[in-house]
Each structure stands twice: as structure tokens, then as C-alpha cells.
Amino acid sequence: MTRIIDYGNLMHRAMRGLIQNVLNDVSEHGLPGQHHFFITFDTMHPDVEIADWLSDRYPDEMTVVMQHWFDNLDVTNEGFSITLNFGDSPEPLYIPYDAIRTFVDPSVEFGLRFEAQDEDDDAKESPGTETDPDPETKDAEGAAEIVSLDSFRK
């Protein structure tokens, strides 16, 4: 049996650790300057916890915005919980890092994209559209550069 270094999974683990570090800093010190995040996640992930009406409205994926108002940010090694405002209605969410598909901070044009992998460890493009509860904020901020692992795979 030949042993190989699984760079894809190592990179995903490092990227999720980066998100955890950023969220830990925000939970301790708040969002600095103009920083804000668009976090797209798989609503069907078994460990995601969102209100039934949100999972009905976003049955595949959802993008949440962490910007002006959020509360109860609690960061763990597996994921984070946060309360966000949806139409003047605060809703608690729990998002495991494994459910995150993209993490973008458009204020500094930074972004991470987690590509789905099939059982052969080949990169697989995951089609789908981002769903943003407040699409006007996304368009106003402009596009951010997304780092894709596909360009590093053979």
C-alpha cells in the first residue's frame, strides 16, 4: 500500500482553523473597522441547527451576513453558534465548520471556498447559487477573491 500526503484535506483543515481563529477574535474583540463576513453553508448538514422556517426557505444552502448586528457568538472546535437578525426576528444558528462552503470578507477582498470531494478525492465543482437574506449588501460590497484548491490538484 502506497502512502500519500492528502494535501486537499490538510488544506481544508487549515482553512477551517483560520475561520475558527478569526471568529474567536471577533467573539473577544468585535468586528474591527469595515470587516464583515458572508458565510455560505450547507443547510442539510446533519449538525446544522437552524429554525425550521429557514431550512424550509433554504433547503440546500444559505448565506448569512455577519456585519452590523449579531449576538451570542460562541466559537468551539467543531463550529460556532450565533444569533442573527432575520427581518427584525433574532434567530439562533449553529454552523459546524464542516458545513461551510464559502467564507468571504469583502472589505479586504478575502475569501475561502471549500470544494466538495468525491470518494476518489477528486475535486468536484458543487453547483448552486448563493442565497443571501440581504442581497443588496452583497452587491454593494463588490466581489471578493475566492481561493480554490482546484488549481493545485492534478
Side-chain angles (χ1 to χ4, degrees):
M1 177 182 252
T2 304
R3 190 175 83 87
I4 63 168
I5 298 172
D6 188 352
Y7 288 107
N9 281 329
L10 289 170
M11 181 63 91
H12 278 197
R13 193 174 320 137
M15 291 167 33
R16 287 184 173 101
L18 180 145
I19 293 169
Q20 180 181 358
N21 289 339
V22 168
L23 293 176
N24 269 324
D25 183 70
V26 170
S27 75
E28 293 174 17
H29 307 289
L31 278 168
Q34 297 299 312
H35 287 275
H36 58 286
F37 311 130
F38 295 117
I39 303 170
T40 301
F41 64 97
D42 175 4
T43 57
M44 296 306 292
H45 186 284
D47 297 326
V48 164
E49 296 175 17
I50 59 176
D52 289 341
W53 73 269
L54 285 171
S55 61
D56 291 344
R57 186 168 178 191
Y58 304 103
D60 180 43
E61 70 178 19
M62 176 180 184
T63 299
V64 293
V65 179
M66 254 180 90
Q67 188 171 16
H68 299 295
W69 187 92
F70 60 91
D71 201 10
N72 304 321
L73 178 59
D74 182 35
V75 182
T76 69
N77 289 333
E78 292 78 34
F80 66 99
S81 57
I82 189 168
T83 300
L84 295 173
N85 194 8
F86 294 89
D88 293 327
S89 175
E91 288 287 347
L93 308 159
Y94 174 75
I95 303 169
Y97 302 119
D98 287 344
I100 295 175
R101 293 184 177 171
T102 63
F103 178 91
V104 177
D105 182 346
S107 71
V108 292
E109 296 184 7
F110 175 80
L112 299 172
R113 179 187 316 248
F114 296 90
E115 301 295 335
Q117 295 184 10
D118 64 18
E119 292 182 18
D120 295 329
D121 273 342
D122 292 331
K124 177 172 59 176
E125 188 69 30
S126 57
T129 58
E130 291 184 359
T131 308
D132 182 1
D134 189 8
E136 290 85 334
T137 57
K138 188 173 195 175
D139 294 337
E141 298 300 332
E145 182 176 324
I146 303 293
V147 177
S148 174
L149 294 178
D150 287 343
S151 61
F152 299 102
R153 293 192 181 128
K154 289 185 177 183

